[in-house]
Amino acid sequence: MARLILIGTLAWWLMGTMIGPGACWAATKLLPVANGHDLQSQVKATANKVIPAVVSIASTVMVRDQAFSDDALPFGLFKEPPARRQYGQGSGVIVSSDGYIVTNNHVVAEAVDVEVVLADRRQFKGKVVATDPKTDVAVVKINATNLPAVTWGDSSHLAVGDFVLAIGNPLGLSRTVTFGIVSAVGRADIGLADFEDFIQTDAPINPGNSGGALVNINGELVGINTAIASPTGGSVGVGFAIPSNMARMAMQSLIKTGRVVRGFLGASTQDVSPQLGKIFRLPDVKGAVVTDVHAKGSAERAGLKRGDVIVRFDSRDVMDSGHLRNLVAQSQIGSKHRLELMRDGKSYVAELVVQEAPRERTKKSQALSASASTVHPLSGVVFDDVTQPLARQMDLPVTSGVVVMDIEEGSLAESSGLQPGDVVLELNRQPIANFNAFQRLADPLKPTDLALLLVNRQGNVLYIPIRVE
């Protein structure tokens, strides 16, 4: 089983099992390579150009072990152990000559001391300007001028097969350069951050490379190295980097406001599955299905409706809900965008004016209630009304609909993804106010009929199609 490793030394996860202002903008345009000698010369030139702008970052955090009991203390009291220092090491990239450095959040998160060592071995105390756990980006500032800085590249121009160099300080070995290609772009659902659009590369990177530079053959910064997937803890040729466009946007916002100001769709969406593609009569299994439209939000103002499938954002195909979320998040607040969508099998166009994302979105938990049963294709599922007293008692986000009380193991509903605690808002696109309304719609269903449920699950709204295939 491959492990997913954040390649600074402060945080570790498992995959399946988990362990634990700017420089100039330049469009990426690869130079032609006539033969191997020309490629070698260009790799050498790029390495020599970028190495001076990549730094080593040593961070110190204070940690406490678990409190322990002491027989000398009164019964039930615990002794707090003293805080101790824990050290971590990673990399960073100088992006402006006056001392701004981009790195990973997990390299400097909660650090009480940050030391930056330049490629020429000069040492500086670093100040953490701000961090963004949602993208795993952080900005560090040192008090220095006339520093070597990388040129930003446009990560949207990267393609599979492009040559890249990874430069950092793996395992404490400063000024390490490795070479490879872009193995994939747009990697998401990896589980490292809330906003994921990773570049995958086979350029070897190891623990300590976190926050280091991924550059194209011309020496332009196209990514910030972040993690590796590995069964051993070392490089096996599967590394991940934050795209430079995402990192640059986060950096600029962190420097300007101390936080990342993101665009917000004003609607909840989910991925298009093959079954949903058939139900919504889509030509391709891609796009983002609108499952909920927030009141007075940008999606509502654009005329979006529940059940719409957004297939293009401006001129770019929308691959899934995460892709759409990233596109909107990186848009300027107040900017206008053309959305192409499918509604009831027909094409529509809407204009979206991007609003600012709320600073905090709290997900409320669902609760279960008493029982009542229904029929095919929902046999084996126990439902009950969501009443106002129950909603108040259980802090439910809705006061109408029916809640899933229990699901028989091995039933069609369970295998389709329905879960206890889901609140059913619609059945086959018809709103559900209470159990009686639900039963009137459910009773006529035959065992092979489609039951398309719209459910609220812990504050998230999604479609669940249930049908015998």
Side-chain angles (χ1 to χ4, degrees), residues 225-275:
N225 297 320
T226 299
I228 59 176
S230 171
T232 64
S235 173
V236 293
V238 184
F240 301 98
I242 301 166
S244 59
N245 291 7
M246 179 181 287
R248 186 170 188 258
M249 182 276 293
M251 178 206 72
Q252 291 174 332
S253 188
L254 289 172
I255 292 172
K256 183 177 180 180
T257 68
R259 64 187 181 90
V260 176
V261 178
R262 294 185 173 87
F264 184 58
L265 180 63
S268 300
T269 62
Q270 74 178 93
D271 295 347
V272 174
S273 65
Q275 192 171 16

Side-chain angles (χ1 to χ4, degrees), residues 251-317:
M251 178 206 72
Q252 291 174 332
S253 188
L254 289 172
I255 292 172
K256 183 177 180 180
T257 68
R259 64 187 181 90
V260 176
V261 178
R262 294 185 173 87
F264 184 58
L265 180 63
S268 300
T269 62
Q270 74 178 93
D271 295 347
V272 174
S273 65
Q275 192 171 16
L276 286 177
K278 294 178 182 177
I279 293 169
F280 288 106
R281 291 177 282 173
L282 303 179
D284 301 296
V285 184
K286 62 183 179 181
V289 184
V290 177
T291 60
D292 194 26
V293 177
H294 305 164
K296 301 180 180 179
S298 54
E300 183 182 69
R301 296 188 185 102
L304 297 185
K305 297 180 180 180
R306 183 177 287 162
D308 286 347
V309 183
I310 301 172
V311 295
R312 290 179 70 83
F313 181 91
D314 291 334
S315 60
R316 303 183 64 177
D317 288 342

Side-chain angles (χ1 to χ4, degrees), residues 381-392:
V381 186
V382 179
F383 298 91
D384 196 18
D385 278 314
V386 175
T387 63
Q388 288 190 357
L390 179 66
R392 287 194 299 268

Side-chain angles (χ1 to χ4, degrees), residues 133-136 189 191-197 262 322 325-326:
K134 292 187 176 182
T135 55
D136 198 21
D189 298 326
L192 291 175
D194 289 354
F195 289 85
E196 297 185 339
D197 188 25
R262 294 185 173 87
R325 186 177 182 228
N326 288 338

